[in-house]
Amino acid sequence: MSDELRLEGVTKGYNHAKPNEVTVLQGVDLRVGAGEVVALVAPSGAGKSTLLHIAGLLDTPDAGRVWLGETDMTALSDKRRTAARRREVGFIYQFHHLLPEFTAEENIVLPQLANGVSRAAARDRARELLDTVGVAPRASHRPAALSGGEQQRVAYCRALANRPRLLLADEPTGNLDPGSADRVFAALMDLVRGTGLAALIATHNLELAGRMDRIVRLEAGRVVA
């Protein structure tokens, strides 16, 4: 199994050279292989969002390296990292962040258009994804007309619209009731398993974490199995 994501000795702190300097990550090493779904478990404030931002090229480490496939992303310019993030990484957050003025289908089409996909192909991809998660009948509805679970499933589809090699999720069911969380998580797993991409999913829900391939914990700024 090849590594799609590899972090090597990643360190990150804030307020450098000040009395209130904080080191959040202290030499993190982590690998996520193609087709693997890894749960990231950590207490609040432990730095899991920082780790996800660095893994997803939204932030840069103070030291260490971030690899996507065979490419050392820390060696690239900001412009090339931005292009790689748009092309190769999908993000899911606790709240769906759908664009309220657009329909479910349009929310999935738009990131594809930004990546140069034709409108016809983007619509076909959106409908395929919505069908996979059971929201196809609601494709023409705007987010306000969708339930919380439906909104989050549309957000999953949007994250996977451009066929990324890596999916990063931060508490993707955290704003849902337990019943909805279970159904929505099952939909996410169907999407991930159907693509073979690598997925790193941060969650407080240990039952959901146990349904993934592997669990890692962030403790004292380091990742442990």
Side-chain angles (χ1 to χ4, degrees):
M1 178 174 58
S2 62
D3 291 327
E4 292 290 10
L5 171 67
R6 188 164 83 251
L7 306 183
E8 297 178 343
V10 167
T11 298
K12 184 68 177 182
Y14 298 96
N15 300 320
H16 297 298
K18 295 182 180 179
N20 59 340
E21 180 176 355
V22 176
T23 301
V24 179
L25 303 178
Q26 303 188 55
V28 167
D29 295 311
L30 176 65
R31 296 185 177 211
V32 183
E36 186 180 28
V37 184
V38 176
L40 175 64
V41 177
S44 296
K48 67 180 185 301
S49 293
T50 298
L51 190 155
L52 290 174
H53 287 169
I54 289 174
L57 312 180
L58 289 168
D59 200 355
T60 55
D62 296 331
R65 294 184 175 185
V66 179
W67 297 77
L68 287 184
E70 300 301 318
T71 304
D72 179 1
M73 307 308 296
T74 48
L76 301 183
S77 66
D78 288 342
K79 182 177 181 180
R80 291 182 65 189
R81 278 198 302 272
T82 297
R85 181 175 67 246
R86 182 184 301 164
R87 183 178 61 252
E88 301 189 51
V89 184
F91 292 92
I92 299 172
Y93 300 98
Q94 179 174 351
F95 299 98
H96 57 79
H97 297 303
L98 297 175
L99 298 173
E101 66 271 31
F102 295 101
T103 67
E105 181 180 293
E106 289 167 343
N107 267 277
I108 303 166
V109 165
L110 288 172
Q112 297 180 77
L113 297 181
N115 239 22
V117 177
S118 71
R119 184 171 294 275
R123 291 183 66 186
D124 287 343
R125 174 68 171 160
R127 291 168 181 172
E128 172 193 348
L129 289 167
L130 288 170
D131 185 60
T132 299
V133 299
V135 191
R138 312 281 280 167
S140 62
H141 290 69
R142 293 181 179 175
L146 304 175
S147 70
E150 288 171 337
Q151 291 171 346
Q152 197 67 336
R153 279 180 276 176
V154 173
Y156 295 171
C157 295
R158 179 183 58 188
L160 294 178
N162 283 320
R163 295 179 170 86
R165 68 194 306 167
L166 173 66
L167 177 69
L168 300 171
D170 194 355
E171 300 290 348
T173 61
N175 65 327
L176 302 174
D177 64 82
S180 295
D182 185 73
R183 291 190 297 273
V184 169
F185 181 77
L188 174 60
M189 292 298 283
D190 285 344
L191 282 174
V192 171
R193 297 300 191 199
T195 60
L197 53 68
L200 179 62
I201 300 176
T203 181
H204 282 106
N205 188 322
L206 295 182
E207 190 277 327
L208 293 184
R211 292 160 61 181
M212 302 185 214
D213 298 321
R214 182 161 55 94
I215 299 174
V216 297
R217 300 178 185 275
L218 187 59
E219 298 178 0
R222 297 180 184 274
V223 165
V224 297

